[in-house]
Structures are given as structure tokens and as C-alpha cells.
Amino acid sequence: MDPNTEYSISKKFRRTVWRPFIESIKRYALIQPDDHIAVCVSGGKDSMLLAKLLRLLHRRSDFPFNLTFVTMDPGFGPSVRNEIEANAKTLDFPITFFDTNIFDVVNKAERCPCYLCARMRRGHLYAHAQKIGCNKIALGHHFSDVVETILMNVLYGGTFETMMPKLRSRNYPGMELIRPLYRVHEDAILAWVKHNGLRFSACACPLAEKNAQTETVGRRQNVKELIKTLKRDNPHIEERVFQSTHRVNLETIVGYKNNGHTYNFLDNY
């Protein structure tokens, strides 16, 4: 184990990584006593930091909960698996792999391979987590993912929707998804990685080059560039977008959905 990675979280990155992580846990009640959480480690920087943070929290928590670190292999080659195992060892958490044939299936898909892959990954993760006795799965989506998703939905989908900090599964009763990095900015994650001289897996998708040209990937990149431009005039623009989802005033909303039902402001005008 490299003690510098842990020390840096507690000291240099306490304000930008540790505190926002703890804020997410507390503000959205993500972890409860006796939870058994499947920490989903894809091999990238976000999930690796998530695993490290939850490992630290587990040691310091004043109430008991359990962690199992799992990595789904959708069709990795040996080099990718070896790199993930090496990084997990450096960051001091044990991982277990479980195999799927996702890449084989997605490689044959003629339409929407990214959507199909995401759906299959989520389903396999829920199923495996439930099989090993977990009641929650933890994913590495961070603050920047949340803000980008909000803007993508508004600008391209015509809806005001966000990426939730936690969700109950509809298909796996008793299972819940949590996002403990909800308040951690991607810039802080990148700074932590660079400070510690870490290297994590790049995208191992066999369609990565093709997917880089897909509509969804292109739209997300457009939103990233838009945010970068807006931050030149207002460095707090991401926080303003994020807070808007916590301050929705239904008195000024023309229409909304709740529990599958659609409502209009004229219903109570």
C-alpha cells in the first residue's frame, strides 16, 4: 500500500475531496447502519477514488456497515484486469471480478450500443450484488456528471431531470443505488490522481473509437465546452445549475410529472 494516497485525502484534498464526499453521505442519507454495499469498481479514476474513500470511511465510521469491492468484466483483456488489480492493491482494497459477455453482445448491436451497454451493466451489477447479499450498489458518478446530465436533459431532451444521489431499483426489490461522489468535482479527482502519480484504465470498450462519434458522446462534449465557456464569466456556474435542482418552485412550473402522472399548472390555477 502507498500511504501517500490516504494521507493526501486526509490533508491536501480534505476540503475538495473528503469533505464533499462526507457531505454527500450525510445530506442524502446514503449509508445506514448494517448496509452491505457493493462498491462497483470499473477501473477508472472515479470508481477507484470512490473505493478508497469508502474504505477510509468504513474504518472511521461510528456505525457498522459492510463493503464488497466488485469489478464486472464485460470482456476485458488480461492487461486491463492486471492493471485494475494492481491499482486496487496500491489503494489497499480487495476486489473480486465477475465475468459477463457484454462486449460480445454490444459489438453486434446495430443501434444505440452505448445505451445497451449501460443497461446491461446496471442489470448485471444489481443481479450480482443481490446474489452476494448486498442491499446497495455504489457508483462513481461525480458532481460534474450531475451538472452535465442536467444541462443535456434541458438542452437536448427538453426535460428538467437530474441524476439522483440515490435510487430504489424497480427490478430488484430491496436494492438501492447510491452515488457518494455526488458533491465531488471532477477537477478535484483529477488533481488527486495527478498529485499521487496514479494511472488508471482508459476506456476498454471495443467500440470506443466508433462511440466517440455517437450523438450522445458528442452532446456531452458540447455541454462540457459550454460549461467551460460560461465559467469564464461566472466560476460558480456549475454550482448554480446544481442548486437549481434543490430549489424548484412548483408555483412557477408549467407542467411536471410525479409517480407516473402528468400535471399542469392549470389544474390548480
Side-chain angles (χ1 to χ4, degrees):
M1 180 188 74
D2 181 358
N4 292 329
T5 59
E6 185 168 323
Y7 181 81
S8 67
I9 290 173
S10 300
K11 299 297 181 181
K12 184 176 178 61
F13 295 95
R14 186 175 187 83
R15 181 180 63 83
T16 57
V17 173
W18 180 254
R19 286 180 181 173
F21 164 71
I22 294 299
E23 179 188 348
S24 301
I25 300 291
K26 292 182 177 180
R27 184 175 186 179
Y28 305 110
L30 300 186
I31 300 177
Q32 305 298 329
D34 299 321
D35 276 344
H36 187 178
I37 304 169
V39 185
C40 303
V41 182
S42 67
K45 67 184 191 313
D46 306 326
S47 64
M48 283 288 184
L49 175 58
L50 170 65
K52 182 63 178 176
L53 290 169
L54 286 171
R55 179 79 157 173
L56 283 172
L57 180 64
H58 183 259
R59 294 210 304 261
R60 300 177 181 182
S61 177
D62 55 2
F63 63 81
F65 64 92
N66 296 311
L67 299 173
T68 298
F69 301 91
V70 300
T71 296
M72 179 186 65
D73 186 341
F76 293 143
S79 62
V80 175
R81 285 183 70 133
N82 291 339
E83 184 178 47
I84 293 173
E85 288 177 331
N87 280 324
K89 184 176 181 180
T90 295
L91 295 176
D92 189 33
F93 59 85
I95 58 172
T96 57
F97 286 86
F98 68 97
D99 299 323
T100 70
N101 66 339
I102 291 178
F103 282 173
D104 288 340
V105 174
V106 171
N107 199 33
K108 299 174 183 176
E110 296 183 1
R111 297 183 59 188
C112 305
C114 294
Y115 176 78
L116 176 62
C117 183
R119 287 292 299 270
M120 291 184 69
R121 283 172 179 265
R122 190 69 56 83
H124 279 292
L125 287 170
Y126 270 126
H128 182 74
Q130 194 170 62
K131 179 181 178 179
I132 61 177
C134 296
N135 65 308
K136 292 180 179 178
I137 65 172
L139 300 183
H141 296 120
H142 48 67
F143 176 89
S144 305
D145 290 325
V146 177
V147 172
E148 291 165 12
T149 298
I150 295 168
L151 291 176
M152 286 181 67
N153 285 330
V154 171
L155 298 175
Y156 294 108
T159 62
F160 186 74
E161 299 178 10
T162 188
M163 181 182 286
M164 298 295 288
K166 62 180 180 180
L167 287 170
R168 290 191 178 95
S169 173
R170 295 179 180 178
N171 300 319
Y172 296 87
M175 293 294 298
E176 193 172 10
L177 178 155
I178 61 173
R179 295 184 168 105
L181 299 183
Y182 204 72
R183 291 289 291 150
V184 181
H185 289 240
E186 185 174 27
D187 286 347
I189 299 174
L190 290 168
W192 175 78
V193 171
K194 182 178 180 180
H195 174 79
N196 289 285
L198 299 169
R199 294 184 62 184
F200 296 120
S201 301
C203 179
C205 174
L207 302 176
E209 185 175 345
K210 177 181 177 181
N211 289 345
Q213 307 302 320
T214 63
E215 187 174 56
T216 300
V217 175
R219 287 175 174 178
R220 184 168 290 276
Q221 187 58 42
N222 289 341
V223 169
K224 284 180 178 289
E225 293 299 323
L226 173 62
I227 292 172
K228 186 184 299 184
T229 300
L230 293 173
K231 285 177 70 174
R232 294 172 188 164
D233 294 324
N234 182 357
H236 306 293
I237 198 73
E238 290 169 292
E239 188 67 28
R240 298 295 181 266
V241 174
F242 180 83
Q243 290 299 338
S244 71
T245 65
H246 296 68
R247 300 168 180 169
V248 176
N249 184 352
L250 289 181
E251 293 179 355
T252 65
I253 298 298
V254 177
Y256 64 95
K257 290 183 178 179
N258 188 31
N259 292 326
H261 299 286
T262 300
Y263 299 90
N264 187 284
F265 84 104
L266 291 175
D267 295 338
N268 297 306
Y269 187 74

